[in-house]
Amino acid sequence: QVQLVESGGGLVQAGGSLRLSCAASGRTFSSYSMGWFRQAPGKERAFVAAVSYAVTYNWSGFRTSYTDSVKGRFTISRDNDKNTVYLQMNSLKPDDTAVYYCAARAGGTSISHYEYDYWGQGTQVTVSS
């Protein structure tokens, strides 16, 4: 069982930055791939970014993936010593406004929210124009 708690959301002007954190309980955090999703009013939950549970074979770091609209602006990272995953969001746009959720799944990353086993309660991000 994994419990996830997000924090760091808020109101920011367009062009600004926020860093979301997701703290996980349990001793097996390092064995879960982690994802960030977002849901805007009236829209389905959508993939934002994910980070793998294992480093790449050449030890260059964890595998990460992003939806196209956030590439170059958002960075996902994890700190297994702190059981925490982060989402650094720069150059925010009004279209980024949504509730942001972190999620965990055993095994590799996925862009489908249906394949994640555990979810946080979400944190609101509002970007004003």
Side-chain angles (χ1 to χ4, degrees):
Q1 189 80 9
V2 177
Q3 291 185 325
L4 304 172
V5 179
E6 301 100 333
S7 62
L11 173 64
V12 64
Q13 288 188 330
S17 298
L18 285 173
R19 188 175 82 154
L20 304 184
S21 300
C22 174
S25 66
R27 294 175 292 178
T28 59
F29 173 75
S30 60
S31 65
Y32 287 88
S33 290
M34 302 297 296
W36 284 98
F37 292 78
R38 64 188 179 186
Q39 190 166 17
K43 295 187 177 181
E44 291 193 1
R45 194 164 297 190
F47 171 75
V48 176
V51 60
S52 65
Y53 69 96
V55 297
T56 58
Y57 72 96
N58 59 358
W59 297 95
S60 64
F62 297 102
R63 293 186 187 277
T64 58
S65 58
Y66 300 90
T67 192
D68 286 346
S69 64
V70 308
K71 285 180 180 177
R73 300 189 298 124
F74 290 12
T75 302
I76 188 171
S77 61
R78 66 187 298 158
D79 185 337
N80 286 347
D81 291 335
K82 296 182 178 179
N83 280 13
T84 302
V85 62
Y86 303 98
L87 185 68
Q88 178 66 45
M89 305 186 295
N90 298 328
S91 302
L92 282 161
K93 304 175 181 179
D95 284 350
D96 296 318
T97 296
V99 177
Y100 283 70
Y101 299 89
C102 74
R105 73 182 301 267
T109 59
S110 173
I111 65 171
S112 171
H113 66 277
Y114 295 108
E115 296 188 0
Y116 284 78
D117 304 305
Y118 303 101
W119 290 86
Q121 82 289 350
T123 186
Q124 176 71 46
V125 172
T126 303
V127 184
S128 63
S129 57

